[in-house]
Amino acid sequence: SADQEHPTRPATVCGYPISIFFIVVNEFCERFSYYGMRAVLVLYFKYFLKWDDDFATTIYHTFVALCYLTPILGAIVADSWLGKFKTIIYLSIVYAVGQVIMAISAISDITDTNKDGTPDNMTFHIALSMVGLLLIALGTGGIKPCVAAFGGDQFEDHQEKQRSTFFSIFYLSINAGSLLSTIITPVLRAYECGAVKQQCYPLAFGVPAALMVVALIVFIVGSGMYTKTAPQGNIMVRVCKCIGFAIQNRFRHRSSQYPKREHWMDWKLLIAQVKMVLKVLFLYIPLPMFWALFDQQVWTTLPGILTIQPDQMQTVNPILILVLVPIMDSIIYPLIAKCKLNFSPLKRMTVGMFLAALAFVAAALVQIQIDNTLPTFPSKTQSQAKFINMLNTSLTIKAGQNDLELLPFKASDDYLTFDDSFILNLGPGVDQAVSLPDGNRSTLVIIKDGREPRYQMFSDLKTKPEQGANAIRFLNGFEKLLNVTVGNELFEKKLLCSESIVFFLISSAVFGISDGVQTCTYQLTLGFGSSYTLIIPPSLTFGQESEMDISPNSIHMAWLIPQYFLITAGEVVFSVTGLEFSYSQAPSNMKSVLQAGWLLTVAVGNIIVLIVAEAATLEEQWAEYILFASLLVLVCIIFAIQAYFYTYIDPTAIEAQFTKREPDEKEKRKSIEMVKKDSMDHLSLRNTKTRA
């Protein structure tokens, strides 16, 4: 075939083209590069570029969305202009350049002339970062649909089983790269580097950049072994013209005098190819709902769950995938086949969606259990207050209708709920009006103001600390400066009563308290998700004076296992099958386009999350989980109905039929010339015989 380049001798190992091993290694390195960079990206925005949480998160999600919107560009370039091989090469170069630029942007010494650890020209670093991210989004998105389709191209028609296994191996390489990078890159970031020793973002971005260069080199090394399908003209322009032509003819030939066709686009080869693609794309319409659930996975750090470090939780999903993909391919699918059950690709995808819905139902059940262990936080129209006596004497107070007895340097038993402002009586003739913000929790600390006591108000947390962190407040009742240390951090407390909220991602902490002469150390087991007020009285008998504002998490992390298992099993059954299905049902000239269509469902899924999250006004987290699960079950039913009526096709066979039935003009002329030549030869032979 003129459209395809085959190696002189296709080399195989265990029945597989040796070329796919270069593709798999390339994908592993590329995914390591992408996920490694992404693992530290938000931290880089917050702590290097000094952006606030909201802006950092917005830019991060915009970048991720771009990575899933650019595949359509890569697919058009590959199928219409350069071909998959050259597209992967050129966009990988763009990708690698972007990663290198990101690593350079993180070197503070470039503009840090006074060597204080902070860049003097932050605009320069921001500009470099944005250029780097734009190139990375274009590169990673552009090659996404091409690499999977290019891998599928390496197999002959008789290697359907090997091709199916390839997509599983391909998915394994994606998750192996993701797993290693999310473990290694944060470790690299923790190293100190630069003129002023600080976290090493250049190294954290530099290693992924190096892996991308390795990915490019590995892919180029295999060049001589690849089967390369040549591009077939501007596919998208031809497709658009084809659809317009078909619609036009649909309305021109509506009368009964024209014979009805089986399909309104049943015109010539290109129309048949477009029809194949549109059938699959129509099937894809419900699929973004799966990604809407999968990509948020808000329950992976459920508030109230005893958990390992939050950034380590990201590794659970790829670990489970590495275990489940071989189990599915080697045990589950063959077992189903032996039972003579028709577990077709679309049925697998339906099951995958259903498993994802079950994962969110499981998350909702766990969330209900968590809610039962949480303190009662105020509603939007109520307020809560707690009282701490920082006087060296017992105190009787009255807060609204509540009478309280407070011992020296002790707090009230729990928070009291108030609908509005109230009068706080701190003793005979000492009445003070208190107005609490609606929906907030506050601590009212009673201190001495001359001879009369008065209160000082501090805001408290009204939710569990995020990601298993612990909130600590210090109240200094000592009458001189105290230095309070937690690990390597120093807090100076000079006032009679002052506070500091500090978040720790540790389960226990050792506090050091010093007045410059004496030092007292105290260890407190914090757990995860707690909030404490630590009172330092004049006597410095620190050990007995901590007040728990929010208790640590009491639900064990083992409760996360069912959700993780279900969502990962759903991903393996759904996503791996979807990659293979997208390739097998695509015509030869639109393999990358259909892969891009598959990836586009991921981008749309993220948009759905934003829309539903904004539109839904559910206060209870478990109710939101049930809402998403219900939506996916509904979509699952719709998809199952679509799948029931879908007819699997063999694009190669269909294209061959059209080629046989309608030879091109060159072939027609050649055929006519052959007939003429045969006729002349036959006539000449007859004349010779006659003369003889």
Side-chain angles (χ1 to χ4, degrees), residues 386-450:
K386 193 173 189 176
F387 303 88
I388 297 180
N389 178 14
M390 291 297 289
L391 304 180
N392 201 14
T393 181
S394 296
L395 193 63
T396 300
I397 67 171
K398 186 179 180 67
Q401 303 301 315
N402 304 284
D403 294 314
L404 301 171
E405 291 285 339
L406 299 177
L407 296 174
F409 304 104
K410 291 289 185 179
S412 54
D413 293 334
D414 204 351
Y415 285 87
L416 300 176
T417 301
F418 299 93
D419 292 326
D420 206 340
S421 58
F422 63 92
I423 300 297
L424 177 63
N425 177 266
L426 298 176
V430 185
D431 292 329
Q432 298 181 18
V434 179
S435 180
L436 299 174
D438 285 343
N440 281 7
R441 276 186 155 199
S442 304
T443 292
L444 275 63
V445 180
I446 301 164
I447 59 175
K448 203 78 162 179
D449 185 13

Side-chain angles (χ1 to χ4, degrees), residues 375-385 415-418 437-442 461-463 619:
T376 304
F377 292 111
S379 66
K380 291 180 180 179
T381 58
Q382 293 179 321
S383 302
Q384 291 180 340
Y415 285 87
L416 300 176
T417 301
F418 299 93
D438 285 343
N440 281 7
R441 276 186 155 199
S442 304
L461 296 177
K462 55 182 179 180
T463 59
E619 291 187 4

Side-chain angles (χ1 to χ4, degrees), residues 209-392:
L211 261 291
M212 191 57 226
V213 173
V214 171
L216 178 59
I217 293 170
V218 168
F219 188 74
I220 292 172
V221 167
S223 176
M225 303 179 190
Y226 298 139
T227 297
K228 302 168 188 173
T229 304
Q232 300 181 26
N234 197 325
I235 293 298
M236 293 309 292
V237 172
R238 291 172 62 198
V239 166
C240 292
K241 285 183 178 178
C242 177
I243 293 173
F245 171 76
I247 293 172
Q248 191 178 32
N249 278 276
R250 170 69 171 170
F251 287 98
R252 279 182 181 174
H253 300 88
R254 282 181 298 174
S255 62
S256 57
Q257 63 183 356
Y258 294 100
K260 289 187 177 180
R261 298 175 181 270
E262 290 183 11
H263 193 285
W264 64 277
M265 287 187 63
D266 206 356
W267 301 82
K268 298 187 178 180
L269 174 59
L270 179 61
I271 296 180
Q273 291 169 329
V274 172
K275 188 165 68 173
M276 293 180 221
V277 171
L278 291 182
K279 276 179 67 179
V280 178
L281 290 179
F282 176 73
L283 202 61
Y284 284 175
I285 291 173
L287 301 190
M289 199 63 221
F290 172 87
W291 298 112
L293 270 73
F294 179 81
D295 283 342
Q296 56 175 319
Q297 289 190 39
V298 289
W299 38 263
T300 59
T301 52
L302 283 170
I305 278 201
L306 175 60
T307 176
I308 58 177
Q309 300 292 356
D311 53 351
Q312 293 173 334
M313 294 296 286
Q314 301 173 41
T315 64
V316 176
N317 177 257
I319 288 172
L320 278 174
I321 286 175
L322 294 176
V323 173
L324 287 177
V325 167
I327 290 175
M328 289 290 184
D329 279 354
S330 306
I331 300 174
I332 304 298
Y333 293 155
L335 211 58
I336 292 173
K338 281 190 176 180
C339 295
K340 300 190 185 302
L341 295 174
N342 179 22
F343 199 35
S344 63
L346 293 180
K347 287 180 181 176
R348 292 183 193 179
M349 292 168 71
T350 306
V351 169
M353 296 168 79
F354 186 69
L355 289 173
L358 283 181
F360 268 65
V361 171
L365 294 175
V366 174
Q367 186 63 54
I368 291 171
Q369 294 298 316
I370 292 169
D371 290 345
N372 292 334
T373 68
L374 293 177
T376 304
F377 292 111
S379 66
K380 291 180 180 179
T381 58
Q382 293 179 321
S383 302
Q384 291 180 340
K386 193 173 189 176
F387 303 88
I388 297 180
N389 178 14
M390 291 297 289
L391 304 180
N392 201 14

Side-chain angles (χ1 to χ4, degrees), residues 32-33 103 184-185 188 202-212:
F32 185 107
S33 177
I184 293 171
T185 313
L188 298 175
L203 183 61
F205 288 138
V207 170
L211 261 291
M212 191 57 226

Side-chain angles (χ1 to χ4, degrees), residues 19-80:
S19 57
I20 69 162
F21 295 100
F22 292 94
I23 295 170
V24 167
V25 173
N26 163 270
E27 184 66 11
F28 168 82
C29 295
E30 187 273 326
R31 289 290 85 186
F32 185 107
S33 177
Y34 174 73
Y35 283 107
M37 177 274 303
R38 215 176 82 168
V40 297
L41 192 57
V42 172
L43 295 174
Y44 170 71
F45 289 157
K46 288 168 62 176
Y47 299 114
F48 187 89
L49 299 182
K50 308 298 182 185
W51 289 349
D52 61 51
D53 286 357
D54 290 340
F55 189 64
T57 305
T58 300
I59 296 297
Y60 172 81
H61 284 298
T62 303
F63 165 71
V64 173
L66 271 176
C67 291
Y68 283 99
L69 290 172
T70 49
I72 195 68
L73 295 176
I76 292 170
V77 170
D79 284 344
S80 305

